[in-house]
Amino acid sequence: MSKTRVIALFNQSGGVGKTSLTMNLGYHLAQKKKNRVLLLDLDPQASLTTFMGLESENLTKTVYEAVVGEEDLPVHPELIHGMAIVPANINLSAAELELVAALMREMRLKNAIAPVLDKYDYILIDCPPSLGILSVISLVAATHVLVPIQCQFKSFQGTDLLLKTVAALRKGANPTLAIAGFIPTMYDARTAQESRTNQAIKEQLSPLATVFDPIPKTIAFADASEARLPLALYNSKNSAVSVLKKIASSLEKLS
């Protein structure tokens, strides 16, 4: 049985910092003990692909060909910041419709990943912000799910639906799926509502899995993404870097 940790970063809410986390946690994992890290972009917006410096519209092979056409997983030939990536582009937006009638559709990503599992220690999947087929196939392929939650009441409320989805998959297509933890994101300790929400996340979700220290709100994430760099390379002194390192260290201990 493969020891590769396949971690889906998933929240059906958009704008929670999922893509930045995928890139940055992947970077910190890749810096440790020569970990081999693969990022997999499964969001039709292809933000992760863009953040990694690839022009999505110029790509001839993406994850779309692997999950819809059942072709080999198209891993980009060069490492970027020490990480490999399977890119996406807008073609992936058609996959939801094309997979509706596909045989064994839930297994498409798991089957695509299987031949490369032993080449990597970690595979991080950037899921789309929805509960559609693309998210389902990500969670079926994953060994763990990592949940970013924006420190806003509305975002926290949506966690119930997310947990029901995970529970349903555990009963069927992926009985061994584990929750790697919850990451409060975009946290501004100066606001009372965000402090209350962060506290509620800790109190209500810590019985289910680790609730990590919150990622502070900082414009540096957007600036680093625009520069196509992990935050640690863009601004190593930013307070979020130490939090990201600590989370990456915890992910190394996942069983």
Side-chain angles (χ1 to χ4, degrees):
M1 189 174 178
S2 174
K3 292 182 179 179
T4 306
R5 266 75 46 102
V6 182
I7 304 170
L9 282 91
F10 171 61
N11 191 322
Q12 77 273 10
S13 300
V16 299
K18 183 171 45 61
T19 303
S20 288
L21 274 175
T22 305
M23 179 183 183
N24 282 284
L25 291 175
Y27 172 76
H28 287 294
L29 284 168
Q31 299 307 299
K32 292 167 167 281
K33 300 176 187 173
K34 297 184 178 176
N35 284 328
R36 300 163 300 166
V37 176
L38 174 66
L39 306 184
L40 200 153
D41 193 350
L42 210 71
D43 187 341
Q45 296 176 70
S47 297
L48 179 61
T49 300
T50 302
F51 289 0
M52 290 286 280
L54 300 178
E55 301 296 335
S56 62
E57 63 272 15
N58 296 336
L59 300 168
T60 54
K61 294 286 184 182
T62 67
V63 70
Y64 169 85
E65 279 74 27
V67 297
V68 175
E70 297 185 281
E71 297 179 16
D72 291 344
L73 203 64
V75 179
H76 185 71
E78 297 147 18
L79 293 180
I80 303 171
H81 309 308
M83 299 174 283
I85 182 170
V86 175
N89 62 19
I90 194 64
N91 290 347
L92 193 57
S93 59
E96 295 269 0
L97 284 174
E98 293 180 58
L99 289 173
V100 166
L103 197 63
M104 297 289 288
R105 64 186 181 187
E106 290 86 0
M107 301 298 294
R108 288 295 181 93
L109 187 61
K110 187 178 179 105
N111 292 342
I113 287 172
V116 304
L117 267 183
D118 291 335
K119 294 182 180 178
Y120 301 100
D121 301 295
Y122 297 90
I123 299 176
L124 273 56
I125 306 172
D126 185 23
C127 300
S130 73
L131 285 173
I133 292 172
L134 292 176
S135 290
V136 169
I137 66 172
S138 299
L139 294 171
V140 170
T143 58
H144 298 79
V145 55
L146 186 60
V147 184
I149 305 172
Q150 188 179 355
C151 287
Q152 294 281 345
F153 180 67
K154 185 179 178 184
S155 181
F156 177 48
Q157 270 192 317
T159 311
D160 281 349
L161 182 57
L162 183 153
L163 292 172
K164 284 176 183 173
T165 302
V166 171
L169 285 167
R170 279 176 170 166
K171 288 179 182 175
N174 191 356
T176 60
L177 180 63
I179 300 176
F182 302 94
I183 306 177
T185 63
M186 305 180 188
Y187 178 55
D188 186 346
R190 297 170 300 176
T191 69
Q193 191 213 46
E194 293 190 19
S195 295
R196 285 196 304 271
T197 302
N198 184 47
Q199 189 60 34
I201 291 170
K202 284 181 191 172
E203 289 173 0
Q204 296 183 37
L205 298 179
S206 57
L208 302 177
T210 302
V211 176
F212 295 104
D213 291 341
I215 306 283
K217 185 181 289 182
T218 170
I219 191 66
F221 275 117
D223 293 339
S225 297
E226 187 180 353
R228 312 292 192 257
L229 290 171
L231 183 61
L233 292 180
Y234 181 79
N235 180 359
S236 62
K237 293 184 171 65
N238 189 282
S239 60
V241 172
S242 60
V243 182
L244 290 163
K245 282 182 179 178
K246 193 173 173 184
I247 296 171
S249 294
S250 295
L251 295 180
E252 286 197 297
K253 297 167 188 167
L254 291 175
S255 55

